[in-house]
Amino acid sequence: MKRISTYISMGVLSASFILCPFIAHAQTTTASETSQGSLGIRYAGLGFGVADPSHNSENIYGVNVGAKVPITSFLDISGGYSYSRYKYDSISLYTYKSENHSLSTDLVFYKQIAGGLKPFLSAGLGYSWISSKLETHSVYVMDGKPRDDFASWGTAVGVEIPFRWLALTPTIGFGGDFKNTRSQAWRYGLQASSWITPKVGVVASVSCSEPKQSRGDSHTWTYSTGLRVKF
């Protein structure tokens, strides 16, 4: 957990540096524009995440950028790009590395009800390019560099719960890729977000995914954080 916290902190600092010009401009906006929650709001964001798969001593690290735009009073559309990297070293046997580039888009249907609550349903598509490299420590075995790409899909339901200083968003999702049904997994998450100025917000989330066809205790915890800027 200490290692995860360190990388998340580095992500916040990096995001702050990149979005610094937007933050400076945001200070000129009046405070009356601030409202908690992200549904129905147009913004761009930058995030950093760490995934911790079970039965694995190494984590997966990733970054993402994206934007969300309201289409109607009940529909948002979002799109983004993400990159993740994984490395595992077996000192006496091999070194395994993989990189994943992904594009995604989502439609989010929502409705505001009493108390400002916004239940929603999302559906999305994505496409990923994965490259991996196996470097063996034996002169008798050649290194492998396989590549793969595939389309993916995902759905989720949840509710955005606004408070005075932040909004909480619990979700339950299900998805996978079109290539292998064994990729299908359930995902349970909780997100906390806050607009710290009328134009700039912060977000943090934790989620757990579990394969539909898992055998035994097979799951992945993911921790992420990031910055958002209204435009």
Side-chain angles (χ1 to χ4, degrees), residues 58-74:
E58 299 297 328
N59 296 323
I60 303 169
Y61 303 97
V63 295
N64 62 83
V65 294
K68 186 171 72 64
V69 178
I71 301 301
T72 70
S73 61
F74 59 85

Side-chain angles (χ1 to χ4, degrees), residues 2-225:
K2 183 177 180 180
R3 185 179 181 185
I4 291 175
S5 300
T6 300
Y7 277 94
I8 288 179
S9 299
M10 291 173 59
V12 172
L13 292 175
S14 300
S16 300
F17 177 79
I18 294 175
L19 294 179
C20 186
F22 298 98
I23 295 175
H25 176 73
Q27 304 302 323
T28 62
T29 308
T30 60
S32 61
E33 295 181 22
T34 302
S35 60
Q36 298 305 329
S38 61
L39 293 174
I41 295 176
R42 184 174 61 181
Y43 64 84
L46 171 66
F48 176 85
V50 180
D52 180 19
S54 61
H55 310 300
N56 197 320
S57 60
E58 299 297 328
N59 296 323
I60 303 169
Y61 303 97
V63 295
N64 62 83
V65 294
K68 186 171 72 64
V69 178
I71 301 301
T72 70
S73 61
F74 59 85
L75 174 63
D76 290 355
I77 184 171
S78 65
Y81 162 80
S82 64
Y83 168 82
S84 63
R85 184 172 184 176
Y86 172 79
K87 179 180 179 181
Y88 178 79
D89 284 305
S90 177
I91 298 176
S92 60
L93 296 176
Y94 62 87
T95 297
Y96 176 78
K97 303 176 183 178
S98 70
E99 294 184 331
N100 186 340
H101 300 266
S102 298
L103 295 175
S104 63
T105 184
D106 287 272
L107 293 174
V108 184
F109 300 86
Y110 67 92
K111 180 175 177 60
Q112 182 168 326
I113 58 178
L117 299 177
K118 293 181 180 178
F120 63 87
L121 167 67
S122 70
L125 295 173
Y127 203 89
S128 298
W129 295 264
I130 298 178
S131 61
S132 57
K133 183 177 182 181
L134 182 65
E135 300 174 344
T136 62
H137 304 303
S138 170
V139 296
Y140 303 107
V141 182
M142 295 182 62
D143 295 346
K145 298 181 181 180
R147 295 179 180 273
D148 194 11
D149 60 276
F150 54 85
S152 59
W153 60 274
T155 60
V157 294
V159 58
E160 186 176 82
I161 310 170
F163 295 96
R164 183 175 181 181
W165 300 110
L166 58 80
L168 295 178
T169 309
T171 58
I172 299 176
F174 185 74
D177 64 59
F178 292 99
K179 201 169 186 178
N180 185 359
T181 58
R182 294 186 62 84
S183 68
Q184 296 177 1
W186 291 97
R187 186 182 181 93
Y188 312 92
L190 178 63
Q191 180 189 96
S193 62
S194 177
W195 294 104
I196 56 177
T197 78
K199 283 287 188 177
V200 178
V202 293
V203 60
S205 65
V206 58
S207 65
C208 179
S209 63
E210 183 174 358
K212 178 183 177 183
Q213 301 180 21
S214 65
R215 295 181 179 179
D217 183 21
S218 178
H219 59 268
T220 300
W221 285 94
T222 301
Y223 312 87
S224 63
T225 186

